Every structure is written in structure tokens, then in C-alpha cells.
């Protein structure tokens, strides 16, 4: 089992690109924004059975579209900016990106063992 894209850079880029500190401090903004234009932006964990590989990609990326539409990858799990906000609020300490890496790894392992 390989996981491609489960890097601190991928997670950090998604978190800082789609979850602002102002948004985190106001639960109302989090809930209403998740209904707007950002609702289709997610960090997806895709699985491609041809090479037994998982890919962590942003849902709007060309790689996501190619893996799903051309290669037949399936979505194992996805996390929206609102999901990230909830996780950030519940974790509430330094090292969130490392924590999220563990979530991705454990999700992939659970799928592999099922």
C-alpha cells in the first residue's frame, strides 16, 4: 500500500488556502460558508486498485479528475474546509498537519484491511 500526496505540504496548502483564522473563530461563518462556493472543494483520498495506491488530492485538481474519470479511482474519503475547521477546533494544539497525516494513513489502512 502506497499513499501519494499525504505530505505536510499538501495538507498545509489546502488548510491555508481554504480555512482562514477569521473563519475558524466564528462557527456561524464556518457553517454558512460550507453552503457557498467552497462546498465542492475538498481534500480527497482516492484509491486506484490497478496499482494498489492511494492519492491525497484536491477535488478540483486535474489529477483528481484524471484519476477518477480516466483511471477509475474511487473516493475513499474526503474532507471539506468545514471538516478541517471542525478538526482544527477539536485538536486545538500545534502539529495539526502531522495529526491530519495520521488520519489519512489510518483511513487508508482501514480501507486496505476491509
Amino acid at each position: 500500500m502506497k499513499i501519494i500526496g499525504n505530505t505536510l505540504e499538501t495538507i498545509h496548502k489546502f488548510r491555508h488556502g481554504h480555512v482562514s483564522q477569521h473563519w475558524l473563530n466564528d462557527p456561524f461563518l464556518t457553517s454558512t460558508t460550507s453552503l457557498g462556493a467552497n462546498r465542492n472543494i475538498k481534500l480527497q483520498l482516492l484509491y486506484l486498485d490497478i496499482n494498489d495506491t492511494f492519492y491525497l488530492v484536491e477535488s478540483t485538481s486535474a489529477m483528481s479528475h484524471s484519476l477518477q474519470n480516466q483511471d477509475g479511482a474511487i473516493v475513499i474519503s474526503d474532507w471539506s474546509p468545514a471538516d478541517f475547521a471542525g478538526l482544527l477546533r477539536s485538536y486545538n494544539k500545534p502539529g495539526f498537519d502531522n495529526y491530519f497525516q495520521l488520519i489519512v494513513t489510518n483511513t487508508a489502512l482501514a480501507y486496505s484491511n476491509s
Side-chain angles (χ1 to χ4, degrees):
M1 176 189 87
K2 290 187 294 187
I3 304 175
I4 296 174
N6 189 21
T7 63
L8 294 176
E9 180 183 350
T10 302
I11 296 163
H12 184 81
K13 181 180 173 187
F14 183 83
R15 181 168 56 92
H16 285 283
H18 302 292
V19 182
S20 71
Q21 192 60 41
H22 176 68
W23 199 57
L24 277 173
N25 294 334
D26 189 341
F28 179 73
L29 278 177
T30 302
S31 62
T32 57
T33 305
S34 66
L35 300 173
N38 284 347
R39 72 178 178 274
N40 294 325
I41 297 172
K42 297 179 180 177
L43 196 57
Q44 297 177 316
L45 181 62
L46 304 176
Y47 176 69
L48 186 59
D49 63 352
I50 296 168
N51 59 1
D52 191 30
T53 303
F54 293 89
Y55 297 86
L56 188 65
V57 295
E58 188 173 314
S59 61
T60 59
S61 71
M63 180 175 253
S64 173
H65 292 287
S66 176
L67 284 167
Q68 290 180 73
N69 299 330
Q70 293 177 357
D71 299 327
I74 59 171
V75 178
I76 301 304
S77 190
D78 57 22
W79 298 272
S80 69
D83 295 332
F84 262 71
L87 287 168
L88 279 161
R89 282 191 194 104
S90 67
Y91 190 70
N92 199 23
K93 48 183 126 170
F96 174 81
D97 294 348
N98 292 321
Y99 169 69
F100 192 79
Q101 268 188 314
L102 289 174
I103 291 173
V104 171
T105 300
N106 289 340
T107 302
L109 283 171
Y111 184 81
S112 290
N113 293 331
S114 63

